[in-house]
Amino acid sequence: MEKVEDVFATNDPWASPTQQVFTVIGIVFVSYKIFTFWRMIASLFILPGKSLSKFGREGTWVVVTGASDGIGKEYSLQLAAKTYNIVLVSRTKSKLDALASEIQEKYKVQTKVYAMDFAANKDSDYKALNKLISDLDISVLINNVGQSHSIPVPFNETTESEMKDIITINCMGTLRVTQLITPGMIQRKRGLILTMGSFGGLTPTPLLATYSGSKAFLQHWSTALSAELAPYNIHVQLVQSYLVTSAMSKIRRSSALIPNPKQFVKAALSRLGRSGGAQGMAGTSTPYWSHGIMHWAIQSFVGTMSGIVLNINKSMHEDIRKRALRKAEREAKKSS
Ligand SMILES: NC(=O)c1ccc[n+]([C@@H]2O[C@H](COP(=O)([O-])OP(=O)(O)OC[C@H]3O[C@@H](n4cnc5c(N)ncnc54)[C@H](OP(=O)(O)O)[C@@H]3O)[C@@H](O)[C@H]2O)c1
Ligand SMILES: *[C@@H]1O[C@H](CO)[C@@H](O)[C@H](O)[C@H]1NC(C)=O
Ligand SMILES: *[C@@H]1O[C@H](CO)[C@@H](O)[C@H](O)[C@H]1NC(C)=O
């Protein structure tokens, strides 16, 4: 019988064909990872994004949903600063009016506002919005409106109204607004449609199951649409993001991992058409540098659907729920 030592007895690594095959596979695998790492770094830090003027010159219009606060408000301000006119859509009329005045004063561009509750899903709202925008040369649509669970919650304890609102706002709202805007873009043969995704949808997220599903829906819908509209010179991109400071995330202090909306939107607008951390995902971008590296690492080493990530996220959100419940309890005691 051949002894094990005899097989490996030589110092020449090219001696056995099996060793040769595995050496080559190993080198190819490691080289590929190194290549995608540098491609991601170049995409996040070095290569310029597409210029906005490719989608419509200054003075054309931008439509932003969920425009009155957080990330949507920043998209509105930064696009107005580039002298686009802005249509602001969200729930609270007073906040929209205040932002419209601020934009007109600071940037001398035109604004229009429309207040509607996307959760109500009223035909009359979409008709009125269509009337407001039908004569405008719209270059950019920012599908930003979104709602999450008020706190992480087991699916069986999720109220029907929260469940319905999340799906109606995040999915139906985005579909219906996009259907109003695309015919004009197709006619003009140019446009940019950015939709806010979330790491909550990139990795399945226990205790935010409905929100997670709604953002995963947007990922597939948006990427599918990007292929349909590419022949018309319309760029459709899902914008992936980990946490950003805002009313929704309930995080006030920014950090390396958690930018404020201003930093986030600046990264998104300067990296148009670049994948950033979303390497290998068509029509998708993870533009903020630390989110991008996190995305690349999850995707490269474990996979977004992996059981390990799923369990990390489960305990993370169980923890957030516990803290949120304790805080609610303290506040209830204080007020009684
Ligand atoms: N913040 C994060 O950590 C984070 C991370 C990943 C992805 N995102 C996504 O980014 C988007 C914006 O989030 P954000 O953090 O900027 O949220 P935010 O600060 O809470 O702002 C939400 C905006 O949407 C509007 N809105 C909410 N519900 C609405 C409804 N039913 N009808 C009409 N307008 C409504 C709000 O209007 P009112 O002010 O009138 O209520 C507000 O203008 C969302 O799609 C979210 O899923 C956020
Ligand atoms: C809901 O499911 C969770 C497990 O996810 C369980 O701990 C809880 O007791 C259930 N609640 C109800 C009301 O059935
Ligand atoms: C899920 O866990 C991974 C790994 O820790 C993390 O990078 C990702 O951001 C988490 N997802 C959410 C929605 O927090």
Side-chain angles (χ1 to χ4, degrees), residues 75-97:
Y75 270 117
S76 308
L77 286 167
Q78 293 190 27
L79 287 163
K82 295 180 193 291
T83 68
Y84 287 89
N85 300 313
I86 318 278
V87 181
L88 306 160
V89 186
S90 71
R91 198 166 28 189
T92 317
K93 178 81 162 58
S94 56
K95 284 167 81 175
L96 289 171
D97 286 338

PDB file of all heavy atoms in Angstrom, residues 75-97:
ATOM      1  N   TYR A  75     -32.001  65.428  -1.379  1.00  0.00           N
ATOM      2  CA  TYR A  75     -32.023  65.306  -2.849  1.00  0.00           C
ATOM      3  C   TYR A  75     -32.592  66.600  -3.441  1.00  0.00           C
ATOM      4  O   TYR A  75     -32.074  67.130  -4.424  1.00  0.00           O
ATOM      5  CB  TYR A  75     -32.893  64.118  -3.283  1.00  0.00           C
ATOM      6  CG  TYR A  75     -32.160  62.793  -3.405  1.00  0.00           C
ATOM      7  CD1 TYR A  75     -32.490  61.716  -2.591  1.00  0.00           C
ATOM      8  CD2 TYR A  75     -31.164  62.601  -4.366  1.00  0.00           C
ATOM      9  CE1 TYR A  75     -31.845  60.486  -2.715  1.00  0.00           C
ATOM     10  CE2 TYR A  75     -30.513  61.382  -4.498  1.00  0.00           C
ATOM     11  CZ  TYR A  75     -30.853  60.328  -3.667  1.00  0.00           C
ATOM     12  OH  TYR A  75     -30.208  59.125  -3.802  1.00  0.00           O
ATOM     13  N   SER A  76     -33.678  67.112  -2.848  1.00  0.00           N
ATOM     14  CA  SER A  76     -34.319  68.311  -3.373  1.00  0.00           C
ATOM     15  C   SER A  76     -33.357  69.494  -3.313  1.00  0.00           C
ATOM     16  O   SER A  76     -33.194  70.232  -4.290  1.00  0.00           O
ATOM     17  CB  SER A  76     -35.578  68.638  -2.575  1.00  0.00           C
ATOM     18  OG  SER A  76     -36.410  67.507  -2.496  1.00  0.00           O
ATOM     19  N   LEU A  77     -32.705  69.694  -2.173  1.00  0.00           N
ATOM     20  CA  LEU A  77     -31.800  70.838  -2.007  1.00  0.00           C
ATOM     21  C   LEU A  77     -30.599  70.726  -2.944  1.00  0.00           C
ATOM     22  O   LEU A  77     -30.234  71.699  -3.607  1.00  0.00           O
ATOM     23  CB  LEU A  77     -31.314  70.910  -0.549  1.00  0.00           C
ATOM     24  CG  LEU A  77     -32.355  71.399   0.474  1.00  0.00           C
ATOM     25  CD1 LEU A  77     -31.881  71.116   1.898  1.00  0.00           C
ATOM     26  CD2 LEU A  77     -32.638  72.890   0.299  1.00  0.00           C
ATOM     27  N   GLN A  78     -30.006  69.539  -3.013  1.00  0.00           N
ATOM     28  CA  GLN A  78     -28.776  69.415  -3.810  1.00  0.00           C
ATOM     29  C   GLN A  78     -29.058  69.491  -5.306  1.00  0.00           C
ATOM     30  O   GLN A  78     -28.235  69.980  -6.080  1.00  0.00           O
ATOM     31  CB  GLN A  78     -28.018  68.124  -3.443  1.00  0.00           C
ATOM     32  CG  GLN A  78     -27.477  68.204  -2.008  1.00  0.00           C
ATOM     33  CD  GLN A  78     -26.525  67.070  -1.652  1.00  0.00           C
ATOM     34  OE1 GLN A  78     -25.856  66.500  -2.511  1.00  0.00           O
ATOM     35  NE2 GLN A  78     -26.461  66.739  -0.369  1.00  0.00           N
ATOM     36  N   LEU A  79     -30.237  69.025  -5.742  1.00  0.00           N
ATOM     37  CA  LEU A  79     -30.566  69.125  -7.170  1.00  0.00           C
ATOM     38  C   LEU A  79     -30.972  70.563  -7.516  1.00  0.00           C
ATOM     39  O   LEU A  79     -30.673  71.046  -8.610  1.00  0.00           O
ATOM     40  CB  LEU A  79     -31.654  68.118  -7.538  1.00  0.00           C
ATOM     41  CG  LEU A  79     -31.123  66.669  -7.562  1.00  0.00           C
ATOM     42  CD1 LEU A  79     -32.263  65.659  -7.519  1.00  0.00           C
ATOM     43  CD2 LEU A  79     -30.267  66.432  -8.808  1.00  0.00           C
ATOM     44  N   ALA A  80     -31.608  71.257  -6.576  1.00  0.00           N
ATOM     45  CA  ALA A  80     -31.935  72.674  -6.799  1.00  0.00           C
ATOM     46  C   ALA A  80     -30.642  73.488  -6.886  1.00  0.00           C
ATOM     47  O   ALA A  80     -30.527  74.415  -7.695  1.00  0.00           O
ATOM     48  CB  ALA A  80     -32.827  73.197  -5.683  1.00  0.00           C
ATOM     49  N   ALA A  81     -29.660  73.117  -6.076  1.00  0.00           N
ATOM     50  CA  ALA A  81     -28.372  73.818  -6.103  1.00  0.00           C
ATOM     51  C   ALA A  81     -27.710  73.674  -7.473  1.00  0.00           C
ATOM     52  O   ALA A  81     -26.941  74.531  -7.893  1.00  0.00           O
ATOM     53  CB  ALA A  81     -27.451  73.275  -5.016  1.00  0.00           C
ATOM     54  N   LYS A  82     -28.038  72.590  -8.183  1.00  0.00           N
ATOM     55  CA  LYS A  82     -27.505  72.414  -9.540  1.00  0.00           C
ATOM     56  C   LYS A  82     -28.456  73.037 -10.562  1.00  0.00           C
ATOM     57  O   LYS A  82     -28.441  72.679 -11.741  1.00  0.00           O
ATOM     58  CB  LYS A  82     -27.310  70.918  -9.836  1.00  0.00           C
ATOM     59  CG  LYS A  82     -26.247  70.273  -8.931  1.00  0.00           C
ATOM     60  CD  LYS A  82     -26.090  68.787  -9.270  1.00  0.00           C
ATOM     61  CE  LYS A  82     -25.303  68.023  -8.222  1.00  0.00           C
ATOM     62  NZ  LYS A  82     -23.879  68.362  -8.160  1.00  0.00           N
ATOM     63  N   THR A  83     -29.337  73.902 -10.083  1.00  0.00           N
ATOM     64  CA  THR A  83     -30.307  74.681 -10.870  1.00  0.00           C
ATOM     65  C   THR A  83     -31.324  73.840 -11.657  1.00  0.00           C
ATOM     66  O   THR A  83     -31.732  74.215 -12.753  1.00  0.00           O
ATOM     67  CB  THR A  83     -29.615  75.692 -11.819  1.00  0.00           C
ATOM     68  OG1 THR A  83     -28.917  74.987 -12.834  1.00  0.00           O
ATOM     69  CG2 THR A  83     -28.677  76.613 -11.060  1.00  0.00           C
ATOM     70  N   TYR A  84     -31.757  72.742 -11.070  1.00  0.00           N
ATOM     71  CA  TYR A  84     -32.944  72.065 -11.598  1.00  0.00           C
ATOM     72  C   TYR A  84     -34.168  72.615 -10.860  1.00  0.00           C
ATOM     73  O   TYR A  84     -34.078  72.986  -9.684  1.00  0.00           O
ATOM     74  CB  TYR A  84     -32.853  70.550 -11.368  1.00  0.00           C
ATOM     75  CG  TYR A  84     -31.856  69.887 -12.274  1.00  0.00           C
ATOM     76  CD1 TYR A  84     -30.515  69.773 -11.896  1.00  0.00           C
ATOM     77  CD2 TYR A  84     -32.228  69.388 -13.523  1.00  0.00           C
ATOM     78  CE1 TYR A  84     -29.578  69.194 -12.740  1.00  0.00           C
ATOM     79  CE2 TYR A  84     -31.294  68.805 -14.366  1.00  0.00           C
ATOM     80  CZ  TYR A  84     -29.975  68.713 -13.970  1.00  0.00           C
ATOM     81  OH  TYR A  84     -29.046  68.141 -14.803  1.00  0.00           O
ATOM     82  N   ASN A  85     -35.303  72.681 -11.548  1.00  0.00           N
ATOM     83  CA  ASN A  85     -36.568  73.017 -10.887  1.00  0.00           C
ATOM     84  C   ASN A  85     -37.093  71.764 -10.210  1.00  0.00           C
ATOM     85  O   ASN A  85     -36.871  70.652 -10.698  1.00  0.00           O
ATOM     86  CB  ASN A  85     -37.583  73.518 -11.915  1.00  0.00           C
ATOM     87  CG  ASN A  85     -37.091  74.757 -12.634  1.00  0.00           C
ATOM     88  OD1 ASN A  85     -36.603  75.688 -11.997  1.00  0.00           O
ATOM     89  ND2 ASN A  85     -37.196  74.764 -13.958  1.00  0.00           N
ATOM     90  N   ILE A  86     -37.819  71.951  -9.090  1.00  0.00           N
ATOM     91  CA  ILE A  86     -38.164  70.770  -8.292  1.00  0.00           C
ATOM     92  C   ILE A  86     -39.665  70.671  -8.016  1.00  0.00           C
ATOM     93  O   ILE A  86     -40.292  71.645  -7.594  1.00  0.00           O
ATOM     94  CB  ILE A  86     -37.457  70.807  -6.913  1.00  0.00           C
ATOM     95  CG1 ILE A  86     -36.002  71.262  -7.023  1.00  0.00           C
ATOM     96  CG2 ILE A  86     -37.565  69.452  -6.234  1.00  0.00           C
ATOM     97  CD1 ILE A  86     -35.010  70.214  -7.418  1.00  0.00           C
ATOM     98  N   VAL A  87     -40.212  69.472  -8.226  1.00  0.00           N
ATOM     99  CA  VAL A  87     -41.564  69.155  -7.766  1.00  0.00           C
ATOM    100  C   VAL A  87     -41.432  68.359  -6.470  1.00  0.00           C
ATOM    101  O   VAL A  87     -40.826  67.285  -6.460  1.00  0.00           O
ATOM    102  CB  VAL A  87     -42.348  68.307  -8.791  1.00  0.00           C
ATOM    103  CG1 VAL A  87     -43.763  68.025  -8.278  1.00  0.00           C
ATOM    104  CG2 VAL A  87     -42.393  68.994 -10.147  1.00  0.00           C
ATOM    105  N   LEU A  88     -41.962  68.912  -5.376  1.00  0.00           N
ATOM    106  CA  LEU A  88     -41.835  68.281  -4.061  1.00  0.00           C
ATOM    107  C   LEU A  88     -43.139  67.590  -3.708  1.00  0.00           C
ATOM    108  O   LEU A  88     -44.199  68.211  -3.709  1.00  0.00           O
ATOM    109  CB  LEU A  88     -41.540  69.350  -3.002  1.00  0.00           C
ATOM    110  CG  LEU A  88     -40.344  70.271  -3.279  1.00  0.00           C
ATOM    111  CD1 LEU A  88     -40.450  71.554  -2.459  1.00  0.00           C
ATOM    112  CD2 LEU A  88     -39.055  69.539  -2.944  1.00  0.00           C
ATOM    113  N   VAL A  89     -43.069  66.287  -3.404  1.00  0.00           N
ATOM    114  CA  VAL A  89     -44.274  65.536  -3.046  1.00  0.00           C
ATOM    115  C   VAL A  89     -44.049  64.839  -1.713  1.00  0.00           C
ATOM    116  O   VAL A  89     -43.058  64.130  -1.559  1.00  0.00           O
ATOM    117  CB  VAL A  89     -44.602  64.452  -4.105  1.00  0.00           C
ATOM    118  CG1 VAL A  89     -45.939  63.786  -3.804  1.00  0.00           C
ATOM    119  CG2 VAL A  89     -44.597  65.041  -5.508  1.00  0.00           C
ATOM    120  N   SER A  90     -44.925  65.090  -0.737  1.00  0.00           N
ATOM    121  CA  SER A  90     -44.970  64.246   0.459  1.00  0.00           C
ATOM    122  C   SER A  90     -46.242  64.551   1.228  1.00  0.00           C
ATOM    123  O   SER A  90     -47.146  65.177   0.681  1.00  0.00           O
ATOM    124  CB  SER A  90     -43.718  64.373   1.326  1.00  0.00           C
ATOM    125  OG  SER A  90     -43.679  65.603   1.964  1.00  0.00           O
ATOM    126  N   ARG A  91     -46.284  64.138   2.479  1.00  0.00           N
ATOM    127  CA  ARG A  91     -47.563  64.154   3.200  1.00  0.00           C
ATOM    128  C   ARG A  91     -47.942  65.539   3.715  1.00  0.00           C
ATOM    129  O   ARG A  91     -49.082  65.947   3.605  1.00  0.00           O
ATOM    130  CB  ARG A  91     -47.428  63.176   4.372  1.00  0.00           C
ATOM    131  CG  ARG A  91     -48.708  62.728   4.974  1.00  0.00           C
ATOM    132  CD  ARG A  91     -48.461  61.527   5.860  1.00  0.00           C
ATOM    133  NE  ARG A  91     -47.096  61.524   6.430  1.00  0.00           N
ATOM    134  CZ  ARG A  91     -46.561  60.521   7.082  1.00  0.00           C
ATOM    135  NH1 ARG A  91     -47.253  59.414   7.271  1.00  0.00           N
ATOM    136  NH2 ARG A  91     -45.331  60.592   7.553  1.00  0.00           N
ATOM    137  N   THR A  92     -46.964  66.259   4.316  1.00  0.00           N
ATOM    138  CA  THR A  92     -47.304  67.452   5.099  1.00  0.00           C
ATOM    139  C   THR A  92     -47.120  68.738   4.304  1.00  0.00           C
ATOM    140  O   THR A  92     -45.996  69.124   3.984  1.00  0.00           O
ATOM    141  CB  THR A  92     -46.429  67.502   6.376  1.00  0.00           C
ATOM    142  OG1 THR A  92     -46.376  66.175   6.927  1.00  0.00           O
ATOM    143  CG2 THR A  92     -47.003  68.450   7.402  1.00  0.00           C
ATOM    144  N   LYS A  93     -48.261  69.390   3.993  1.00  0.00           N
ATOM    145  CA  LYS A  93     -48.241  70.577   3.134  1.00  0.00           C
ATOM    146  C   LYS A  93     -47.373  71.687   3.714  1.00  0.00           C
ATOM    147  O   LYS A  93     -46.600  72.321   2.990  1.00  0.00           O
ATOM    148  CB  LYS A  93     -49.694  71.064   2.945  1.00  0.00           C
ATOM    149  CG  LYS A  93     -49.880  72.312   2.118  1.00  0.00           C
ATOM    150  CD  LYS A  93     -49.833  72.007   0.622  1.00  0.00           C
ATOM    151  CE  LYS A  93     -50.441  73.092  -0.255  1.00  0.00           C
ATOM    152  NZ  LYS A  93     -49.860  74.417  -0.121  1.00  0.00           N
ATOM    153  N   SER A  94     -47.474  71.911   5.035  1.00  0.00           N
ATOM    154  CA  SER A  94     -46.733  73.035   5.631  1.00  0.00           C
ATOM    155  C   SER A  94     -45.221  72.833   5.479  1.00  0.00           C
ATOM    156  O   SER A  94     -44.483  73.776   5.191  1.00  0.00           O
ATOM    157  CB  SER A  94     -47.102  73.188   7.105  1.00  0.00           C
ATOM    158  OG  SER A  94     -46.867  71.967   7.782  1.00  0.00           O
ATOM    159  N   LYS A  95     -44.757  71.591   5.649  1.00  0.00           N
ATOM    160  CA  LYS A  95     -43.323  71.316   5.500  1.00  0.00           C
ATOM    161  C   LYS A  95     -42.890  71.497   4.051  1.00  0.00           C
ATOM    162  O   LYS A  95     -41.800  71.998   3.771  1.00  0.00           O
ATOM    163  CB  LYS A  95     -43.008  69.882   5.968  1.00  0.00           C
ATOM    164  CG  LYS A  95     -42.989  69.729   7.483  1.00  0.00           C
ATOM    165  CD  LYS A  95     -42.987  68.263   7.922  1.00  0.00           C
ATOM    166  CE  LYS A  95     -41.629  67.612   7.867  1.00  0.00           C
ATOM    167  NZ  LYS A  95     -41.674  66.230   8.410  1.00  0.00           N
ATOM    168  N   LEU A  96     -43.763  71.103   3.119  1.00  0.00           N
ATOM    169  CA  LEU A  96     -43.446  71.256   1.693  1.00  0.00           C
ATOM    170  C   LEU A  96     -43.349  72.735   1.326  1.00  0.00           C
ATOM    171  O   LEU A  96     -42.433  73.150   0.611  1.00  0.00           O
ATOM    172  CB  LEU A  96     -44.521  70.581   0.836  1.00  0.00           C
ATOM    173  CG  LEU A  96     -44.542  69.053   0.852  1.00  0.00           C
ATOM    174  CD1 LEU A  96     -45.780  68.526   0.143  1.00  0.00           C
ATOM    175  CD2 LEU A  96     -43.283  68.492   0.204  1.00  0.00           C
ATOM    176  N   ASP A  97     -44.303  73.531   1.819  1.00  0.00           N
ATOM    177  CA  ASP A  97     -44.294  74.969   1.516  1.00  0.00           C
ATOM    178  C   ASP A  97     -43.039  75.639   2.059  1.00  0.00           C
ATOM    179  O   ASP A  97     -42.425  76.470   1.389  1.00  0.00           O
ATOM    180  CB  ASP A  97     -45.544  75.645   2.097  1.00  0.00           C
ATOM    181  CG  ASP A  97     -46.794  75.296   1.287  1.00  0.00           C
ATOM    182  OD1 ASP A  97     -46.640  74.918   0.095  1.00  0.00           O
ATOM    183  OD2 ASP A  97     -47.908  75.371   1.840  1.00  0.00           O
TER     184      ASP A  97
END
